[in-house]
């Protein structure tokens, strides 16, 4: 089935550093979304992107919808300990029965 | 005030048993989903219902049967549980269409022993 590629599987950064995560696909998506999952909880939507080239911010988070529609990135600036979690990208296509397809996630650790 | 609530949070059961997980959303959304998250954290869609009608069934074994009594509820019944069914199951809902993200419940951790 359709897969979104996220790597590496884990990232370790120092508090205060910026971090960037990439997500790529072999085919086009019409919507890109970024979710964060904390232990024992479900994924929570961080940012949604709807147009190729779109750049959107949510506090210290910035995400972009790639111009080819086959990729997206998420940047977290000035990381803090509560940024720890699993970050998933997800893509969706047009259509009444479209589903959200997730990447495998990146586990982010922040050292104080 | 919980938007998407699942019960139970944890479920430990023996192989061969039948169990159900319940999900309710109070967001007024038209579409509900079941996702399975495996031990490697990969999230895979299982089912999707729109206004009580099944619209996505992703090659899930027949032992899994979703039921939607109304558009605010989507339950998952699993027959003859197997060890490989152990996972975290997430319910989610959305308004439908590509302009709305999904709202997830906090998950049900199923352990089959």
């Amino acid at each position: 089935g359709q897969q979104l590629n996220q790597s590496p599987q884990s990232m370790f950064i120092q508090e205060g550093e910026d971090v960037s995560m990439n997500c790529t696909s072999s085919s086009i998506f019409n919507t890109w979304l970024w979710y964060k999952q904390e232990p024992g909880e479900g994924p929570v939507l961080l940012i949604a992107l709807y147009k190729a080239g779109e750049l959107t911010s949510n506090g210290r988070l910035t995400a972009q919808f790639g111009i080819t529609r086959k990729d997206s990135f998420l940047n977290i600036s000035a990381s803090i300990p509560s940024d720890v979690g699993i970050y998933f990208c997800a893509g969706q296509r047009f259509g009444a029965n479209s589903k959200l397809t997730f990447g495998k996630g990146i586990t982010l650790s922040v050292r104080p | 005030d919980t938007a998407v609530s699942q019960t139970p949070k944890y479920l430990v059961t023996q192989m061969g048993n039948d169990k159900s997980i319940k999900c309710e959303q109070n967001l007024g959304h038209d579409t509900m989903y079941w996702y399975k998250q495996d031990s490697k954290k990969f999230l895979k869609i299982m089912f999707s219902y729109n206004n009580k009608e099944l619209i996505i069934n992703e090659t899930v074994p027949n032992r899994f049967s979703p039921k939607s009594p109304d558009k605010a509820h989507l339950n998952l019944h699993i027959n003859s549980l197997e060890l490989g069914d152990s996972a975290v199951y997430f319910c989610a809902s959305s308004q439908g269409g590509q302009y709305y993200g999904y709202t997830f419940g906090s998950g049900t951790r199923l352990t089959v022993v």
Side-chain angles (χ1 to χ4, degrees):
Chain A
Q2 185 63 52
Q3 288 214 352
L4 298 181
N5 303 307
Q6 286 185 266
S7 66
Q9 194 173 349
S10 303
M11 299 180 80
F12 300 84
I13 60 173
Q14 200 72 34
E15 184 177 357
E17 287 182 343
D18 299 348
V19 62
S20 192
M21 304 176 190
N22 227 38
C23 185
T24 61
S25 170
S26 57
S27 56
I28 288 170
F29 285 99
N30 301 112
T31 301
W32 284 88
L33 304 105
W34 285 90
Y35 281 83
K36 179 188 178 188
Q37 184 179 18
E38 298 186 7
E41 298 297 327
V44 174
L45 182 64
L46 298 174
I47 291 180
L49 303 155
Y50 304 113
K51 284 169 47 175
E54 180 181 355
L55 185 71
T56 296
S57 293
N58 178 6
R60 294 178 295 106
L61 276 57
T62 302
Q64 185 157 30
F65 190 145
I67 202 76
T68 64
R69 296 176 181 259
K70 293 184 180 180
D71 64 329
S72 176
F73 79 77
L74 173 72
N75 188 71
I76 305 172
S77 62
S79 58
I80 59 178
S82 62
D83 289 333
V84 163
I86 305 174
Y87 289 80
F88 292 97
C89 64
Q92 192 172 15
R93 295 188 179 84
F94 291 142
N97 297 338
S98 66
K99 63 185 180 188
L100 211 53
T101 300
F102 283 84
K104 293 191 174 182
I106 294 175
T107 300
L108 179 67
S109 300
V110 180
R111 289 187 291 261
Chain B
D1 282 292
T2 305
V4 180
S5 58
Q6 296 179 229
T7 54
K9 176 78 173 171
Y10 299 96
L11 187 52
V12 181
T13 187
Q14 290 189 322
M15 268 182 9
N17 283 350
D18 303 339
K19 290 292 178 186
S20 291
I21 306 172
K22 296 188 176 181
C23 179
E24 176 182 5
Q25 55 97 2
N26 62 7
L27 298 167
H29 288 166
D30 291 330
T31 308
M32 295 185 73
Y33 313 82
W34 278 109
Y35 274 78
K36 179 180 180 181
Q37 186 172 46
D38 62 24
S39 58
K40 296 185 178 179
K41 307 300 182 186
F42 182 54
L43 280 159
K44 189 171 183 340
I45 191 167
M46 300 172 68
F47 300 104
S48 169
Y49 268 74
N50 181 273
N51 273 319
K52 303 192 294 177
E53 182 184 345
L54 179 67
I55 56 173
I56 293 176
N57 181 341
E58 286 282 308
T59 58
V60 177
N62 290 339
R63 299 181 295 103
F64 291 78
S65 53
K67 283 187 172 52
S68 182
D70 55 61
K71 76 172 193 176
H73 295 85
L74 180 61
N75 304 322
L76 183 65
H77 187 76
I78 315 170
N79 289 327
S80 303
L81 278 154
E82 300 176 358
L83 292 175
D85 297 332
S86 296
V88 182
Y89 292 84
F90 286 101
C91 177
S93 71
S94 77
Q95 190 53 35
Q98 75 280 4
Y99 292 108
Y100 304 94
Y102 293 9
T103 301
F104 283 83
S106 58
T108 296
R109 181 175 291 278
L110 171 65
T111 304
V112 182
V113 297

